[in-house]
Amino acid sequence: MTRPYIPTRANDPYGLIWFETRPRYLAGGGDPRRITQTLRAAGWHNLSDPDFPHVVLASPDRSHSLVLEPQPGPYGRWWRIHGRHEQRSWYSEFGANTPVEILGALTDALLEPVPEHTEDIWSQLTAAGWHYQRDEHGNEDASHPDGHLRLRRFADDALGFHWLAEATTERHERVWTGWLEDRMPPHLIAAFTKALASDEPVQRARADVPHLHLVTQEERGPQAEKLAAEHAARLKAVRATARKSRRAAAQSTPGVPAAIASAPRPAARR
């Protein structure tokens, strides 16, 4: 039986006109499959309930999980990420309008080995022209030159230090926020911060942007075929890296046949 055509944003990037949009942090959420399909291509397990509007993914060793669960209103906790590092658990959450390109930098870092050296977070921002300050209590704060984006690390009596990224309008109305525990591995926060400071454009349709007057959209960005090809290439590269990692793990684990370790996982459909 032929599947009927049903209009849905899952058909993107086809059927829309795409524009290169700056600044990226005010461009809206974008396509969540930039994150979810990348994790699935890396072997994360899909634990979602097909009858409930959410996505639940867990890493192969169950040490990390991601939940995408739309909440009422644009400022709910749409993205929630749990992890464990060196016997310590950590948590982060992000609002609906958090660009997937920025959050995706953090989730991509979950798939990579922990680096020996992590670039200083505040140096990344000051190099991009952000204004940085620190008070006598150790609270730190950096603001984007345009005044619409801010990153803070501050102490809470109940929770200790944590991080808060916040994008706002010129009237200081919230566009999105991201909350990260300070006990997260530093390289994950650094990956998120680097993407936060990037001035690279992202691809958005007109209707995707929550505040059009705050962004600049070029006449035309890459269109459907190119965007789909770039996404497919990203997934292919992630699958290849995951297979290589499984083979390496099998070689160091007695009793695991190499053929099983290198067997391809089901492809994430676009």
Side-chain angles (χ1 to χ4, degrees):
M1 182 176 180
T2 304
R3 178 180 176 179
Y5 173 76
I6 301 174
T8 167
R9 285 301 301 267
N11 295 327
D12 289 352
Y14 299 97
L16 293 174
I17 298 175
W18 301 93
F19 299 84
E20 289 196 340
T21 305
R22 287 186 174 93
R24 56 167 44 195
Y25 53 85
L26 294 174
D31 191 334
R33 291 171 296 186
R34 162 63 181 83
I35 294 172
T36 57
Q37 288 191 343
T38 299
L39 295 178
R40 289 183 61 202
W44 284 45
H45 303 286
N46 187 350
L47 306 179
S48 310
D49 182 341
D51 298 317
F52 193 82
H54 69 179
V55 176
V56 180
L57 303 177
S59 62
D61 63 1
R62 298 298 200 270
S63 62
H64 300 93
S65 66
L66 175 142
V67 177
L68 168 58
E69 197 162 65
Q71 304 288 329
Y75 307 124
R77 302 177 303 159
W78 281 48
W79 297 93
R80 303 195 301 276
I81 305 172
H82 289 81
R84 179 169 291 278
H85 177 68
E86 296 181 348
Q87 306 306 313
R88 294 191 304 171
S89 62
W90 55 265
Y91 172 79
S92 61
E93 63 184 36
F94 303 86
N97 287 324
T98 307
V100 295
E101 295 83 359
I102 294 176
L103 180 53
L106 189 160
T107 56
D108 286 350
L110 287 172
L111 308 179
E112 301 169 357
V114 177
E116 294 182 1
H117 172 73
T118 298
E119 185 177 352
D120 180 70
I121 291 170
W122 302 112
S123 296
Q124 292 178 346
L125 300 180
T126 55
W130 290 43
H131 174 69
Y132 168 79
Q133 58 185 359
R134 176 188 174 98
D135 67 17
E136 66 276 14
H137 303 294
N139 300 311
E140 297 173 278
D141 187 306
S143 300
H144 191 280
D146 69 8
H148 293 297
L149 184 60
R150 183 182 183 188
L151 179 69
R152 292 187 291 156
R153 178 183 179 270
F154 60 97
D156 182 285
D157 290 340
L159 300 174
F161 276 99
H162 58 274
W163 300 75
L164 182 67
E166 186 172 35
T168 60
T169 69
E170 69 277 16
R171 296 181 179 180
H172 303 291
E173 299 167 334
R174 183 172 55 186
V175 180
W176 63 267
T177 59
W179 187 90
L180 306 92
E181 286 191 321
D182 194 52
R183 58 186 175 185
M184 286 178 64
H187 74 284
L188 298 181
I189 300 176
F192 173 78
T193 305
K194 184 176 181 179
L196 199 66
S198 172
D199 63 357
E200 288 295 315
V202 295
Q203 313 307 321
R204 295 290 188 271
R206 295 285 195 200
D208 288 342
V209 180
H211 300 280
L212 273 173
H213 70 287
L214 295 178
V215 302
T216 299
Q217 292 189 299
E218 298 295 335
E219 185 66 21
R220 290 286 180 90
Q223 295 306 299
E225 290 76 10
K226 183 176 181 180
L227 293 177
E230 290 174 349
H231 182 69
R234 180 188 305 112
L235 298 183
K236 182 178 179 180
V238 170
R239 291 189 194 102
T241 299
R243 286 195 297 270
K244 183 178 179 181
S245 297
R246 290 195 295 272
R247 285 195 297 267
Q251 292 173 359
S252 61
T253 305
V256 179
I260 294 177
S262 61
R265 299 293 179 92
R269 294 182 296 175
R270 177 66 171 145

